[in-house]
């Protein structure tokens, strides 16, 4: 595999930046690694474990190097899917294999629903698809409360609520918004409101990603092989429960991956998973 080469792709309202790590002599499709709001840097460890394949990573619109030019405050999964469609076209049209994490899994599912011919296999790892949860109403209400907290109090208090929600075991309580929360300082988060309201997750993607209604009829009819992944350490958490619900709607069984929601991460970001064994499982899934 070569060192990553960075490219820029102009799409409506944004300049997307993506990186290509080319493997010579491979006959396998391009492996596209995507997240949201995670940018390309979050997939460095996983990309290094696929030296025998051409790997592409990118920064979604409004995140990292991909600067928006449309002035919009939010991005929908359908908009991200259109960006991915244009990116795959720029890479030769596909079909590609995709590993998609978290919000990227939501966007990957939206892409397959609209452009299934571009994707051979999609591995959607723990998509936070709150609309399909058994406790849908409580989950959506809690997410809306996180957004209101961000608008009212800023990043620190909103992130405390976000961390609390994603780590909860089991159904989201209906009185989540009224429960006392720890100080942001307890999580190493800022306690002062700096006045900004442009966070890529809390402002741009939180509501649109979790509230997205997936086209399961189109997904079931697609020639794309869709595999839902869940983390072995994520038992009972919202993203895993949503992944399990998505798999059920697709008529499939989820594949259990090592570690947690970010199981492919090394210790670069202070939240290490198990990237070696995660990559082994991903290889097995892609090879089936």
């Amino acid at each position: 595999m070569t060192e990553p080469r960075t490219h820029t792709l102009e799409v409506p309202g944004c300049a997307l930046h993506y990186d290509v790590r080319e493997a010579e002599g491979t006959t396998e499709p391009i492996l596209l690694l995507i997240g949201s709001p995670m940018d390309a840097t979050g997939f460095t460890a996983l990309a290094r474990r696929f030296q025998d394949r051409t790997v592409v990573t990118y920064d979604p619109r409004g995140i990292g190097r991909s600067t928006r030019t449309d002035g919009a405050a939010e991005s929908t999964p359908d908009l991200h899917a259109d960006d991915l469609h244009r990116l795959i076209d720029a890479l030769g049209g596909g079909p590609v294999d995709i590993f998609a994490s978290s919000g990227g899994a939501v966007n990957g599912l939206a892409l397959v629903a609209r452009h299934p011919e571009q994707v051979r296999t999609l591995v959607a790892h723990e998509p936070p698809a709150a609309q399909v949860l058994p406790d849908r109403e409580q989950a959506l209400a809690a997410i809306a409360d996180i957004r209101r907290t961000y608008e009212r109090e800023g990043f620190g208090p909103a992130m405390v609520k976000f961390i609390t929600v994603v780590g909860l075991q089991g159904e989201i309580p209906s009185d989540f918004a009224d429960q006392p929360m720890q100080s942001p300082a307890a999580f190493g988060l800022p306690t002062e409101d700096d006045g900004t309201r442009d966070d890529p997750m809390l402002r741009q993607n939180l509501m649109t990603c979790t509230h997205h209604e997936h086209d399961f009829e189109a997904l079931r009819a697609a020639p794309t092989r869709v595999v839902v992944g869940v983390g072995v350490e994520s038992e009972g958490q919202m993203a895993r429960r949503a992944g399990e619900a998505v798999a059920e709607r697709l008529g499939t069984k989820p594949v259990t991956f090592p570690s947690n929601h970010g199981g492919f991460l090394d210790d670069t970001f202070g939240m290490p998973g198990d990237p070696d064994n995660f990559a082994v499982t991903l290889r097995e899934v892609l090879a089936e």
Side-chain angles (χ1 to χ4, degrees):
M1 176 184 284
T2 63
E3 288 299 306
R5 292 173 312 175
T6 300
H7 305 264
T8 303
L9 175 65
E10 296 291 336
V11 299
C14 186
L16 294 179
H17 288 252
Y18 65 98
D19 305 306
V20 179
R21 296 168 172 84
E22 190 168 357
E24 295 183 1
T26 181
T27 59
E28 294 290 340
I30 288 170
L31 176 58
L32 178 57
L33 308 178
I34 65 174
S36 181
M38 182 174 283
D39 64 17
T41 60
F43 295 99
T44 302
L46 189 57
R48 287 173 178 159
R49 287 159 173 82
F50 283 87
Q51 298 275 339
D52 56 332
R53 294 188 62 157
T54 295
V55 176
V56 175
T57 56
Y58 92 122
D59 293 352
R61 71 168 50 219
I63 298 170
R65 302 161 295 174
S66 293
T67 306
R68 298 190 73 143
T69 58
D70 58 4
E74 290 189 310
S75 299
T76 66
D78 285 336
L79 184 56
H80 285 302
D82 186 65
D83 289 344
L84 289 166
H85 162 62
R86 294 169 187 270
L87 173 57
I88 294 169
D89 270 350
L91 295 170
V96 301
D97 286 342
I98 298 179
F99 170 76
S101 167
S102 193
V106 170
N107 300 338
L109 290 165
L111 169 68
V112 169
R114 299 174 67 177
H115 301 285
E117 74 286 350
Q118 290 191 310
V119 186
R120 184 181 74 163
T121 298
L122 167 66
V123 181
H125 187 256
E126 296 202 346
Q131 290 279 12
V132 298
L133 288 170
D135 52 328
R136 169 183 177 276
E137 296 300 328
Q138 300 102 289
L140 294 175
I143 294 162
D145 177 63
I146 294 170
R147 175 60 171 274
R148 287 193 300 270
T149 301
Y150 178 61
E151 297 292 352
R152 185 176 60 245
E153 302 176 44
F155 178 79
M159 278 303 296
V160 169
K161 289 191 171 184
F162 175 80
I163 293 168
T164 302
V165 163
V166 299
L168 281 173
Q169 300 286 323
E171 293 194 355
I172 310 296
S174 58
D175 63 344
F176 175 81
D178 300 322
Q179 293 187 359
M181 293 288 156
Q182 290 182 270
S183 165
F187 295 85
L189 295 166
T191 57
E192 298 295 324
D193 182 1
D194 65 4
T196 62
R197 296 295 185 271
D198 57 0
D199 183 76
M201 181 181 70
L202 295 172
R203 182 67 183 96
Q204 185 181 166
N205 291 291
L206 178 68
M207 295 292 289
T208 54
C209 173
T210 56
H211 286 58
H212 181 70
E213 297 199 30
H214 291 277
D215 188 344
F216 288 104
E217 183 176 351
L219 289 167
R220 288 190 295 267
T224 303
R225 176 170 167 258
V226 179
V227 179
V228 177
V230 296
V232 68
E233 297 174 13
S234 305
E235 183 72 39
Q237 295 177 0
M238 188 184 78
R240 170 162 173 166
R241 294 191 299 113
E244 291 166 342
V246 168
E248 183 178 4
R249 293 288 295 272
L250 294 174
T252 64
K253 298 289 186 182
V255 173
T256 302
F257 278 73
S259 196
N260 51 38
H261 188 64
F264 51 90
L265 295 171
D266 59 15
D267 59 2
T268 301
F269 303 96
M271 302 176 293
D274 184 3
D276 286 335
N277 288 312
F278 196 99
V280 169
T281 301
L282 180 56
R283 278 188 180 278
E284 292 172 349
V285 170
L286 292 173
E288 289 178 6

